[in-house]
Amino acid sequence: AARCAAPCRCDGDGGADCSGRGLGAVPTGLSAFTYYLDLSMNNITELPANVFKNLTYLEELRLAGNDLMSIHPEALSGLHQLKVLMLQNNQLKMVPSAALRNLHALQSLRLDANHITEVPENSFEGLQQLRHLWLDDNNLAEVPVEPLSHLANLQALTLALNRITSVPDHAFANLSSLVVLHLHNNRIREIGKNSFSGLDNLETLDLNFNNLVTFPEAIEALPKLKELGFHSNGIAVIPERAFLRNTLLRTIHLYDNPLSTVGTTAFQNLSELHSLILRGASKMETFPSLTGTVNLESLTLTGTKISAIPASLCEELRLLRTLDLSYNKIKELPRFQGCFHLEEINLQHNRIQQIRGDTFQGLASLHILDLSKNEIKSIDKGAFSSLVALTSLDLSVNALTSVPTTGLRALHQLRLSANLDLKGTLEPRSLPKLRTISVPYAYQCCAFAGCDTIMSSSGDSERKMDTSSKGAGEEVAGERIHLAVHCLPSPGAFKPCEFLLGSWMIRLTVWFICLV
Amino acid sequence: EVPPSCTRGCELCSEYNGCLKCMPKLFILLERNDIRQIGVCLASCPVGYFGVRNPDMNKCNKCRIENCEDCFSRNFCTKCKEGLYAHKGRCYPSCPDGFSLTNGTTECTS
């Protein structure tokens, strides 16, 4: 049987697990055929010269979670086949460049979670095969440009959680194979115009949680970019044609920036973009042109001065499923006809005054429509006629005098509160699926939740047919509708005080007489 | 003295859910134990997980890239399953057009 070193556990295939055993030094007596050695989570403080020289077949060496402050230049000699070296969670203050020099087969090197402040210029010289490098969670004050220049085959690099304040021009010039670059949680204020030149294959760039105040125009050099994050920075302006050369972008994270202005042409021709979230660009007055951004499924554009939506919106964004244009200054709505896949529209808190018959025509997939907090006075009788899947409609806080219910047979939730001029009663039969409704006045709830004077003794709700809704051509003859509708405010047979008499005293007296 | 239910490196231990908060620079891995989640502190995440470091918490996230055994991040695979070939952090049954296997490896290069 292959030899094993006490107190390690060996699996007979060349794997040796010596992790978490309180070891103060590398155990001796391991089999020469060991290819995997886990020494993590021990108390090893140093690696003497040639300590692994017998393990010529070693491919993976784990030393994470020890107390290594330095590594002898000859400590790793003999490890010609080593592919994975884990040194994270130690006490290293400098990259052990001499010790790493001859690891020509190394593909993955973890140096994260140490206290590295210095990366000697020749640190990675011998590591032509390196693919993945972790340097995050250290104390680097700058990008190690020269050391990185040796790594033409590097594909994934993280320098996150350091103290980097700027990215100089040509910082990653030789990293033509790099696919992923994480720089999040640093203090980056400046990025040179040519900082990312040479990164021909970069697909993911993470600049989140930094101190950028200007848009990183250096991304122009990244033709293959698919995912870009610069949320939680200090960027106020997104310039015109910001992503002109990044046509493969699928995801852009830009929230938590003090955005005020967004170039009208910033988000054009991003045919791979599925979701765009722009909140609070307070000085933005014109709806961004989304020509060529044809696969957008979710658009959130809130908190701007935009007052109009382009009529061509639904000709360009045919795959749109959710549209949130709340908290803008929109006065008039275009026809949303081409947006067949729309499931959710939020137009809350705008300045819309009327809804025409063709505004929502053809939106057979629409489930949720929020038009609350506008100035809507009138809604065309057929405005909702084709919204066969609508389950939630919020028209609260408007200036309505009447509400068309044609087409709302699937509605579960209807909000009409705070439409003070809406005094008529709705007809429950035109809203057979309704479950919750809020209306301006208590007496309007009697039609749904029953008031004492109308309910018959058996407690079932018998409704007289309202001829006006019959005229709508929908008749539910003789069907007994058991309405479990939750209606707000709680039903009260009497109309509001200002409708009837002036004082509470009179109202209580009348109630008293009724009850007696 | 850390209660027996918590591994080394735990800063805030709970009786039922193992470690709730690990010491700085360690990753917390949430293991499932019947209906309970047990927090464990690790210097490196197990195979099939990748570590995400943030100022307030370091966490092991499951690697969900198709046909991938081990990840560098949410969208970059470092080790593909047996018989598959790696290209730019993804795993393929054969190398994409214009790319071929680097001799002696399971990686596609141009």
Side-chain angles (χ1 to χ4, degrees):
Chain A
R3 277 182 298 125
C4 196
C8 306
R9 194 177 59 237
C10 299
D11 63 8
D13 282 339
D17 180 3
C18 316
S19 62
R21 287 170 169 76
L23 300 174
V26 177
T28 57
L30 283 163
S31 158
F33 299 102
T34 303
Y35 83 94
Y36 168 94
L37 175 55
D38 189 352
L39 289 162
S40 50
M41 299 296 267
N42 281 299
N43 308 320
I44 300 171
T45 53
E46 63 169 0
L47 294 178
N50 302 307
V51 68
F52 300 110
K53 75 173 186 315
N54 296 328
L55 306 181
T56 52
Y57 293 100
L58 198 60
E59 290 190 10
E60 182 160 343
L61 174 56
R62 296 182 169 218
L63 285 157
N66 279 283
D67 297 314
L68 295 168
M69 298 186 71
S70 64
I71 297 178
H72 189 285
E74 297 304 324
L76 303 174
S77 63
L79 297 179
H80 305 301
Q81 304 200 37
L82 194 66
K83 288 183 176 153
V84 177
L85 175 57
M86 293 190 181
L87 289 165
Q88 71 267 33
N89 289 78
N90 275 287
Q91 311 298 320
L92 299 172
K93 290 189 170 57
M94 186 171 80
V95 170
S97 52
L100 299 172
R101 179 169 300 124
N102 293 314
L103 302 178
H104 300 307
L106 199 63
Q107 294 187 13
S108 280
L109 174 57
R110 295 199 62 165
L111 290 164
D112 43 315
N114 276 280
H115 304 288
I116 295 171
T117 54
E118 187 192 340
V119 184
E121 301 257 323
N122 60 355
S123 286
F124 309 124
E125 239 166 34
L127 310 185
Q128 291 90 7
Q129 295 308 316
L130 200 65
R131 300 298 197 270
H132 325 119
L133 176 57
W134 288 260
L135 276 165
D136 50 328
D137 203 352
N138 277 293
N139 288 318
L140 297 175
E142 57 187 26
V143 176
V145 176
E146 180 55 30
L148 290 175
S149 69
H150 306 302
L151 300 174
N153 285 308
L154 195 65
Q155 294 188 18
L157 169 62
T158 175
L159 292 162
L161 283 95
N162 276 285
R163 294 183 295 114
I164 297 169
T165 54
S166 68
V167 181
D169 274 345
H170 311 292
F172 310 101
N174 289 0
L175 303 187
S176 56
S177 301
L178 202 64
V179 177
V180 173
L181 175 56
H182 288 181
L183 288 162
H184 62 85
N185 291 97
N186 273 284
R187 302 171 190 174
I188 300 171
R189 279 191 313 275
E190 284 152 43
I191 292 181
K193 194 140 177 33
N194 300 296
S195 296
F196 300 135
S197 65
L199 294 174
D200 305 335
N201 282 289
L202 198 71
E203 295 183 3
T204 299
L205 175 58
D206 184 337
L207 290 164
N208 302 324
F209 295 107
N210 274 289
N211 301 334
L212 291 169
V213 289
T214 56
F215 180 80
E217 298 195 3
I219 66 167
E220 278 181 8
L222 307 174
K224 302 275 180 66
L225 199 59
K226 292 179 181 175
E227 182 164 344
L228 171 62
F230 55 92
H231 72 68
S232 309
N233 274 277
I235 294 169
V237 176
I238 295 185
E240 296 290 351
R241 284 179 297 283
F243 308 102
L244 179 66
R245 295 207 169 73
N246 314 109
T247 55
L248 298 182
L249 271 171
R250 289 183 190 166
T251 314
I252 307 173
H253 303 294
L254 45 82
Y255 55 87
D256 287 351
N257 275 287
L259 282 182
S260 60
T261 311
V262 173
T264 308
T265 60
F267 295 99
Q268 281 182 334
N269 301 313
L270 298 177
S271 60
E272 298 295 317
L273 197 65
H274 290 282
S275 166
L276 176 55
I277 299 173
L278 277 167
R279 294 188 193 281
S282 51
K283 290 183 186 148
M284 200 173 170
E285 295 184 1
T286 318
F287 203 96
S289 160
L290 294 168
T291 309
T293 303
V294 293
N295 286 304
L296 207 62
E297 293 179 17
S298 173
L299 174 59
T300 297
L301 182 55
T302 64
T304 73
K305 288 200 175 95
I306 289 172
S307 58
I309 303 170
S312 61
L313 183 73
C314 282
E315 285 156 31
E316 288 159 354
L317 307 182
R318 290 190 168 273
L319 298 184
L320 209 57
R321 281 191 299 113
T322 62
L323 178 63
D324 181 353
L325 299 177
S326 56
Y327 289 87
N328 294 300
K329 315 284 186 208
I330 297 167
K331 297 192 182 80
E332 213 171 299
L333 296 180
R335 290 174 59 207
F336 289 102
Q337 179 118 42
C339 293
F340 307 108
H341 300 284
L342 262 175
E343 295 169 9
E344 204 174 316
I345 298 179
N346 184 351
L347 289 158
Q348 178 191 111
H349 209 293
N350 277 283
R351 293 185 180 160
I352 303 163
Q353 295 185 348
Q354 67 156 353
I355 306 290
R356 293 192 314 275
D358 60 0
T359 300
F360 301 116
Q361 209 64 46
L363 302 188
S365 306
L366 195 65
H367 289 300
I368 297 168
L369 177 56
D370 187 341
L371 291 160
S372 62
K373 300 190 179 81
N374 276 280
E375 299 155 10
I376 304 172
K377 296 184 181 64
S378 69
I379 299 178
D380 184 280
K381 199 169 178 58
F384 303 139
S385 57
S386 55
L387 304 185
V388 293
L390 197 68
T391 55
S392 171
L393 174 59
D394 192 339
L395 290 164
S396 57
V397 196
N398 275 290
L400 291 166
T401 54
S402 67
V403 177
T405 54
T406 310
L408 297 179
R409 300 194 63 80
L411 209 62
H412 288 175
Q413 175 177 286
L414 175 58
R415 287 205 177 93
L416 296 169
S417 49
N419 284 278
L420 301 186
D421 296 332
L422 182 62
K423 293 175 179 164
T425 56
L426 284 167
E427 173 41 59
R429 289 182 188 285
S430 57
L431 304 164
K433 295 273 181 59
L434 201 65
R435 286 297 159 268
T436 59
I437 181 169
S438 67
V439 285
Y441 302 105
Y443 70 86
Q444 292 168 316
C445 271
C446 296
F448 294 94
C451 294
D452 300 346
T453 52
I454 298 174
M455 292 273 296
S456 66
S457 59
S458 65
D460 275 347
S461 322
E462 290 292 338
R463 299 282 151 261
K464 286 203 304 300
M465 187 62 70
D466 177 341
T467 50
S468 66
S469 87
K470 242 174 139 177
E474 279 152 0
E475 186 174 337
V476 185
E479 182 188 335
R480 175 186 296 276
I481 297 172
H482 191 77
L483 299 179
V485 177
H486 177 61
C487 190
L488 287 174
S490 13
F494 282 91
K495 297 198 172 181
C497 299
E498 60 273 21
F499 285 28
L500 300 173
L501 308 167
S503 74
W504 269 99
M505 185 54 70
I506 294 171
R507 287 198 72 198
L508 287 175
T509 312
V510 168
W511 265 103
F512 181 72
I513 293 165
C514 260
L515 293 176
V516 171
Chain B
E1 183 53 36
V2 174
S5 65
C6 285
T7 55
R8 171 180 167 191
C10 182
E11 199 172 273
L12 177 61
C13 186
S14 86
E15 198 176 343
Y16 289 101
N17 294 103
C19 195
L20 303 181
K21 186 171 190 266
C22 294
M23 287 179 180
K25 298 196 181 241
L26 291 179
F27 294 103
I28 188 162
L29 170 69
L30 299 181
E31 289 179 335
R32 183 166 293 283
N33 183 338
D34 292 339
I35 55 168
R36 274 191 293 164
Q37 277 190 322
I38 307 291
V40 180
C41 301
L42 302 167
S44 45
C45 300
V47 173
Y49 289 80
F50 63 97
V52 176
R53 291 192 187 279
N54 277 299
D56 38 19
M57 181 191 214
N58 302 315
K59 194 167 181 287
C60 291
N61 284 357
K62 196 149 182 52
C63 174
R64 296 185 191 285
I65 297 176
E66 202 177 349
N67 294 320
C68 177
E69 257 183 32
D70 225 358
C71 288
F72 175 89
S73 61
R74 184 172 46 80
N75 50 21
F76 191 92
C77 182
T78 54
K79 188 179 180 191
C80 291
K81 286 183 178 162
E82 195 80 34
L84 291 160
Y85 305 109
H87 176 59
K88 288 190 162 184
R90 300 272 161 180
C91 303
Y92 298 88
S94 60
C95 287
D97 291 346
F99 295 87
S100 57
L101 271 188
T102 312
N103 43 34
T105 76
T106 55
E107 192 178 49
C108 308
T109 51
S110 56

